[in-house]
Amino acid sequence: MARRFTGAFTQQEAIPGDAIAAAVAVLQSGRLHRYNLTTGEAGEVALLEAEYRDWQGSDYCLAVTSGGQALQIALRACGVTPGDAVLTNGFTLAPVPGAIQAVGGKAVLVEIDENLRLDLDDLKVKIGSSGARVLMLSHMRGHLCDMDRLMTICSAANVTVIEDCAHTMGARWNGTRSGNFGKIGCFSTQTYKHMNSGEGGFLTTDDAGIAARATILSGSYMLYGRHGAGPDAAAYEDARYEMPNCSARMDALRAAILRPQLKHLDKNIARWNVRYAVVERALKAHNRIAAIDLPARETHVGSSIQFRLPEFTAAQCRALISCAADRGVELKWFGAPEPVGFTSAHPSWRYVAAQDLPQTDRILATLFDMRLPLSFSEADCALIADLIGEAVNEVAK
Ligand SMILES: *Cc1c(COP(=O)(O)O)cnc(C)c1O
C-alpha cells in the first residue's frame, strides 16, 4: 500500500477574522452596491482601490468583478475593435483568449519556451506577420519573461502591452512589480489566486485616459467621482460619452473581504515561497524530472509549481496522473487530449483560429502542474514532493 497525502489541493485558507468582521458590517449596513454611500462615506470599494494602487505602485486602480472582465475592459480601453489582431501566449488559461474573443479580437498565439515563458524571438516574428498593435501578455503560472527585452521589442514595434497578472500579484522583474511594465496590469482575486473574494479583479494603469475609459466601461454610470484611485474629472470628458457600460463593478462585500487580505499579502507571498522551495528542491534532485528555472531577476510567487518529464510518452504521462492520484496527489497534465477541469491548451480553444505551435505543443505534452495552497504545511509539501518522485519512479520502471 503506497503512502498517501490526504489534504485537498483546492482548499484555501479560511478568510481571516478581520475580513469576516468587515463583511458582516457591510451586510448589516445593507449598502452593498459600491455607489450606495452615505454622506461623507468613501465606501469599501473606493478604499480598496486606493490601497491596492498604493501597494502596486501604479497611478490608478479600478476594482472589477473578475480578472477576465479586467482583461476585456483593458482591451476595449486600448481601442481594440472587432477584427483586430491581438497577440497572446500559446499557453495560458481560457479567460485570456476568451477576453480577446469577447471583444471580437483575433488571437495570434505566440510560442512559449521550456521555462513556460513567452518566446521573444517568436513574438518578434508574429508582431511582423500579424501587424497586431496589442500584446496581452500572460505571466502564466507566475513565470515572467525577460521583461526588459520584451518591453524593448514592443516599444520599438509600437505594440501596447497589457499584462495578465492573475498568477503574479506581488511578483517582480528586476525589482519592478509585474503589472507596472505594460500600459495596463490586470489582476484576479478569484478564490485560487493570491487574494480570495470568490470572484473579483483589478485593473491598474498610469494612463489617465485609459483609467477613465476603463472606469466608464466597468459601469460607473456618471458616479466616477466616487472612485478611490481614478483620474481627475477632466480625463472623463470623452470617455463618459464614448464608452459602453459593461457592468463589471466590484461590490462592497468583496472589497470588505479583500482590504484586510491585502494587509496579509506580503506575509502570504513569503509563506508560498517557503512551500515552493521545499517542493522545488525535491523535484530538482530527481533524475527524471525537469524543474522550471526561475531567473535571478525574477521575484517569484510560488502559489503553484510546474515540472516536465521530457522522456515520458503520453501513456506514461497518463499513468503518472493516476499513480499520483493513488497517493492523494492531484496533478494537472497539460498534454491531455481532452481538457479536464481547466483549458490551457490552445487546441481546446476552438473559437480561436487553429494555429501551428509545434514548440508549445512539445512542451505541453510532458508538462505537469500542481497548486500549493497555504493550507498545506511545509511537511505536507515535503511529503507531496516525495510522493511525486515515487510515482514517477513507479511509472518509469
Ligand atoms: C484566473 C486567471 C485569469 C482571470 O480569471 P477570473 O477567473 O476571470 O478572475 C486570467 N488569466 C489567468 C492565467 C488565470 O489563471
Side-chain angles (χ1 to χ4, degrees), residues 236-277:
Y236 291 88
E237 270 324 301
D238 295 328
R240 65 208 292 259
Y241 298 108
E242 289 171 3
M243 291 294 113
N245 177 327
C246 300
S247 280
R249 297 168 298 273
M250 182 175 279
D251 60 90
L253 189 54
R254 293 183 204 184
I257 295 171
L258 289 170
R259 289 182 61 214
Q261 290 183 52
L262 181 55
K263 296 202 183 81
H264 303 302
L265 183 53
D266 286 314
K267 179 189 70 197
N268 283 343
I269 287 171
R271 294 173 65 217
W272 264 304
N273 287 343
V274 167
R275 287 159 178 74
Y276 187 94

Coordinates of all heavy atoms in Angstrom, one line a residue, residues 236-277:
Y236 N -12.4 62.4 -18.1 CA -13.6 61.6 -18.5 C -14.3 62.3 -19.6 O -15.4 61.8 -20.0 CB -14.5 61.5 -17.3 CG -14.0 60.5 -16.2 CD1 -13.2 61.0 -15.2 CD2 -14.3 59.2 -16.2 CE1 -12.7 60.1 -14.2 CE2 -13.8 58.3 -15.3 CZ -13.0 58.8 -14.3 OH -12.5 57.9 -13.3
E237 N -13.9 63.5 -20.0 CA -14.6 64.3 -21.0 C -15.2 63.5 -22.2 O -16.4 63.6 -22.5 CB -13.8 65.5 -21.5 CG -14.0 66.7 -20.6 CD -15.4 66.9 -20.1 OE1 -16.4 67.0 -20.9 OE2 -15.6 67.0 -18.8
D238 N -14.3 62.7 -22.8 CA -14.8 61.9 -24.0 C -15.3 60.6 -23.5 O -16.3 60.1 -24.0 CB -13.7 61.7 -25.0 CG -13.2 63.1 -25.6 OD1 -14.1 64.0 -25.7 OD2 -12.0 63.3 -25.9
A239 N -14.6 59.9 -22.6 CA -14.9 58.6 -22.2 C -16.4 58.4 -21.7 O -17.0 57.5 -22.1 CB -14.0 58.1 -21.1
R240 N -16.9 59.4 -21.0 CA -18.2 59.3 -20.5 C -19.3 59.2 -21.5 O -20.4 58.7 -21.3 CB -18.5 60.5 -19.5 CG -18.5 61.9 -20.2 CD -18.1 62.9 -19.2 NE -19.2 63.1 -18.1 CZ -20.1 64.0 -18.1 NH1 -20.1 64.9 -19.1 NH2 -21.0 64.1 -17.1
Y241 N -19.0 59.7 -22.8 CA -20.0 59.6 -23.9 C -19.7 58.4 -24.8 O -20.6 57.9 -25.5 CB -20.0 60.9 -24.7 CG -20.4 62.1 -23.9 CD1 -19.5 63.0 -23.5 CD2 -21.7 62.2 -23.5 CE1 -19.8 64.1 -22.8 CE2 -22.1 63.3 -22.7 CZ -21.2 64.3 -22.4 OH -21.5 65.4 -21.7
E242 N -18.4 58.0 -24.8 CA -18.0 57.1 -25.9 C -17.9 55.6 -25.4 O -18.0 54.7 -26.2 CB -16.6 57.5 -26.4 CG -16.8 58.8 -27.2 CD -15.4 59.4 -27.6 OE1 -14.4 58.8 -27.3 OE2 -15.4 60.4 -28.3
M243 N -17.7 55.4 -24.1 CA -17.5 54.0 -23.7 C -18.8 53.3 -23.2 O -19.6 53.9 -22.4 CB -16.5 54.0 -22.5 CG -15.1 54.4 -22.8 SD -14.3 53.2 -23.9 CE -14.2 54.1 -25.4
P244 N -19.1 52.1 -23.8 CA -20.3 51.4 -23.3 C -20.2 50.9 -21.9 O -19.1 50.6 -21.4 CB -20.4 50.3 -24.3 CG -19.0 50.0 -24.8 CD -18.3 51.4 -24.7
N245 N -21.3 50.8 -21.2 CA -21.4 50.2 -19.9 C -21.3 48.7 -20.0 O -22.2 48.1 -20.5 CB -22.6 50.7 -19.2 CG -22.8 50.1 -17.8 OD1 -22.4 49.0 -17.5 ND2 -23.4 50.9 -16.9
C246 N -20.3 48.1 -19.4 CA -20.2 46.6 -19.4 C -20.5 46.0 -18.1 O -20.3 44.8 -17.9 CB -18.8 46.2 -19.9 SG -18.4 46.8 -21.6
S247 N -21.0 46.8 -17.2 CA -21.4 46.3 -15.8 C -20.5 45.3 -15.2 O -20.8 44.1 -15.2 CB -22.9 45.8 -15.9 OG -23.8 46.9 -15.8
A248 N -19.4 45.7 -14.7 CA -18.4 44.8 -14.1 C -17.9 45.5 -12.8 O -16.7 45.4 -12.5 CB -17.3 44.5 -15.1
R249 N -18.8 46.1 -12.1 CA -18.4 46.8 -10.9 C -18.1 45.8 -9.7 O -18.8 44.8 -9.6 CB -19.5 47.7 -10.4 CG -19.8 48.9 -11.3 CD -21.1 49.6 -10.9 NE -22.2 48.6 -10.9 CZ -23.0 48.4 -12.0 NH1 -22.7 49.0 -13.1 NH2 -24.0 47.5 -11.9
M250 N -17.1 46.1 -8.9 CA -16.9 45.3 -7.7 C -17.9 45.8 -6.7 O -18.3 47.0 -6.7 CB -15.5 45.4 -7.2 CG -15.3 44.6 -5.9 SD -13.7 44.5 -5.3 CE -12.9 43.3 -6.3
D251 N -18.4 44.9 -5.8 CA -19.3 45.3 -4.7 C -18.6 45.5 -3.4 O -17.5 45.0 -3.2 CB -20.5 44.3 -4.6 CG -20.0 42.9 -4.3 OD1 -19.8 42.6 -3.1 OD2 -19.6 42.2 -5.3
A252 N -19.3 46.1 -2.5 CA -18.7 46.5 -1.2 C -18.4 45.2 -0.4 O -17.4 45.2 0.4 CB -19.7 47.4 -0.4
L253 N -19.1 44.2 -0.5 CA -18.9 43.0 0.3 C -17.5 42.3 -0.1 O -16.7 42.0 0.8 CB -20.0 42.0 0.0 CG -20.1 40.7 0.9 CD1 -20.1 41.1 2.4 CD2 -21.3 39.9 0.6
R254 N -17.3 42.2 -1.4 CA -16.0 41.6 -1.8 C -14.8 42.5 -1.4 O -13.8 42.1 -0.9 CB -15.9 41.4 -3.3 CG -16.9 40.4 -3.8 CD -16.7 40.3 -5.3 NE -17.9 39.7 -5.9 CZ -18.0 39.5 -7.1 NH1 -17.0 39.7 -7.9 NH2 -19.1 39.0 -7.6
A255 N -15.1 43.8 -1.6 CA -14.0 44.8 -1.2 C -13.7 44.7 0.3 O -12.5 44.7 0.7 CB -14.4 46.2 -1.6
A256 N -14.7 44.5 1.1 CA -14.5 44.4 2.5 C -13.7 43.2 2.9 O -12.9 43.2 3.8 CB -15.9 44.4 3.2
I257 N -13.9 42.1 2.1 CA -13.1 40.9 2.4 C -11.7 41.1 2.0 O -10.8 40.5 2.6 CB -13.8 39.7 1.6 CG1 -15.2 39.4 2.2 CG2 -12.9 38.5 1.8 CD1 -15.9 38.4 1.3
L258 N -11.5 41.9 0.9 CA -10.1 42.0 0.3 C -9.2 42.9 1.1 O -8.0 42.7 1.1 CB -10.2 42.4 -1.2 CG -10.8 41.3 -2.1 CD1 -11.1 42.0 -3.5 CD2 -9.8 40.2 -2.2
R259 N -9.8 44.0 1.6 CA -8.9 45.0 2.2 C -8.0 44.4 3.4 O -6.8 44.6 3.3 CB -9.7 46.2 2.8 CG -10.3 47.0 1.6 CD -11.1 48.2 2.1 NE -10.2 49.1 2.9 CZ -10.7 49.8 4.0 NH1 -11.9 49.7 4.3 NH2 -9.8 50.6 4.6
P260 N -8.6 43.6 4.3 CA -7.7 43.0 5.3 C -6.7 42.0 4.7 O -5.6 41.9 5.1 CB -8.7 42.3 6.2 CG -10.0 43.0 6.0 CD -10.0 43.4 4.6
Q261 N -7.1 41.3 3.6 CA -6.2 40.4 3.0 C -5.0 41.0 2.3 O -3.9 40.5 2.3 CB -7.0 39.5 1.9 CG -8.0 38.6 2.4 CD -8.6 37.7 1.3 OE1 -8.0 37.1 0.5 NE2 -10.0 37.7 1.3
L262 N -5.2 42.3 1.8 CA -4.1 43.0 1.2 C -3.0 43.2 2.3 O -1.8 43.2 2.0 CB -4.6 44.3 0.6 CG -3.6 45.2 -0.1 CD1 -2.8 44.4 -1.2 CD2 -4.2 46.4 -0.7
K263 N -3.5 43.5 3.5 CA -2.5 43.7 4.6 C -1.7 42.4 4.9 O -0.6 42.5 5.4 CB -3.3 44.1 5.9 CG -4.0 45.4 5.8 CD -4.2 46.0 7.2 CE -5.0 47.3 7.1 NZ -6.5 47.0 7.0
H264 N -2.3 41.3 4.6 CA -1.5 40.0 4.9 C -0.8 39.5 3.6 O -0.1 38.4 3.7 CB -2.5 38.9 5.3 CG -3.4 39.2 6.5 ND1 -2.8 39.5 7.7 CD2 -4.7 39.3 6.7 CE1 -3.8 39.8 8.6 NE2 -4.9 39.7 8.0
L265 N -0.9 40.2 2.5 CA -0.4 39.7 1.2 C 1.1 39.4 1.2 O 1.6 38.3 0.8 CB -0.8 40.6 0.1 CG -0.5 40.1 -1.3 CD1 -1.0 38.7 -1.6 CD2 -1.1 41.0 -2.4
D266 N 1.9 40.4 1.7 CA 3.3 40.2 1.7 C 3.8 39.0 2.5 O 4.6 38.2 2.1 CB 4.1 41.5 2.1 CG 4.0 42.6 1.1 OD1 4.2 42.3 -0.1 OD2 3.6 43.7 1.4
K267 N 3.1 38.9 3.6 CA 3.4 37.7 4.5 C 3.1 36.4 3.8 O 3.8 35.4 3.8 CB 2.7 37.9 5.8 CG 2.8 36.8 6.8 CD 1.9 37.0 8.0 CE 0.4 36.7 7.5 NZ -0.6 37.1 8.4
N268 N 1.9 36.4 3.1 CA 1.5 35.2 2.5 C 2.4 34.8 1.3 O 2.6 33.7 1.0 CB 0.0 35.3 2.0 CG -0.9 35.1 3.2 OD1 -0.5 34.6 4.2 ND2 -2.2 35.6 3.0
I269 N 2.9 35.9 0.6 CA 3.8 35.6 -0.5 C 5.0 34.9 0.0 O 5.5 33.9 -0.6 CB 4.2 36.9 -1.2 CG1 3.0 37.4 -2.0 CG2 5.4 36.7 -2.1 CD1 3.1 38.8 -2.6
A270 N 5.5 35.3 1.1 CA 6.7 34.6 1.8 C 6.3 33.2 2.1 O 7.1 32.3 1.9 CB 7.2 35.4 3.0
R271 N 5.1 33.0 2.6 CA 4.7 31.6 3.0 C 4.6 30.7 1.8 O 5.0 29.6 1.8 CB 3.4 31.7 3.7 CG 3.5 32.4 5.1 CD 2.1 32.6 5.7 NE 1.5 31.3 6.1 CZ 0.2 31.1 6.0 NH1 -0.7 32.0 5.5 NH2 -0.3 29.9 6.3
W272 N 4.1 31.3 0.7 CA 4.0 30.5 -0.6 C 5.4 30.1 -1.0 O 5.7 29.0 -1.4 CB 3.4 31.3 -1.7 CG 1.9 31.0 -1.9 CD1 1.4 29.7 -2.1 CD2 0.8 31.9 -1.9 NE1 0.0 29.8 -2.2 CE2 -0.3 31.2 -2.1 CE3 0.7 33.3 -1.7 CZ2 -1.6 31.8 -2.1 CZ3 -0.5 33.9 -1.7 CH2 -1.7 33.1 -1.9
N273 N 6.3 31.0 -0.9 CA 7.7 30.8 -1.4 C 8.4 29.8 -0.6 O 9.3 29.0 -1.1 CB 8.5 32.1 -1.6 CG 7.9 32.9 -2.8 OD1 7.3 32.4 -3.6 ND2 8.2 34.2 -2.8
V274 N 8.2 29.7 0.7 CA 8.8 28.7 1.5 C 8.3 27.3 1.0 O 9.0 26.3 0.9 CB 8.4 28.9 3.0 CG1 8.7 27.7 3.9 CG2 9.1 30.1 3.6
R275 N 7.0 27.2 0.8 CA 6.4 25.9 0.3 C 6.9 25.5 -1.0 O 7.3 24.4 -1.3 CB 4.9 26.0 0.3 CG 4.3 26.0 1.7 CD 2.9 26.6 1.8 NE 2.3 26.5 3.1 CZ 2.7 27.3 4.2 NH1 3.7 28.2 4.0 NH2 2.2 27.1 5.3
Y276 N 7.0 26.5 -1.9 CA 7.6 26.3 -3.3 C 9.0 25.7 -3.2 O 9.3 24.8 -3.9 CB 7.5 27.6 -4.1 CG 7.9 27.5 -5.5 CD1 6.9 27.3 -6.5 CD2 9.2 27.5 -5.9 CE1 7.2 27.2 -7.8 CE2 9.6 27.3 -7.3 CZ 8.6 27.2 -8.2 OH 8.9 27.1 -9.5
A277 N 9.8 26.3 -2.3 CA 11.2 25.9 -2.2 C 11.3 24.5 -1.8 O 12.2 23.8 -2.2 CB 11.9 26.9 -1.3

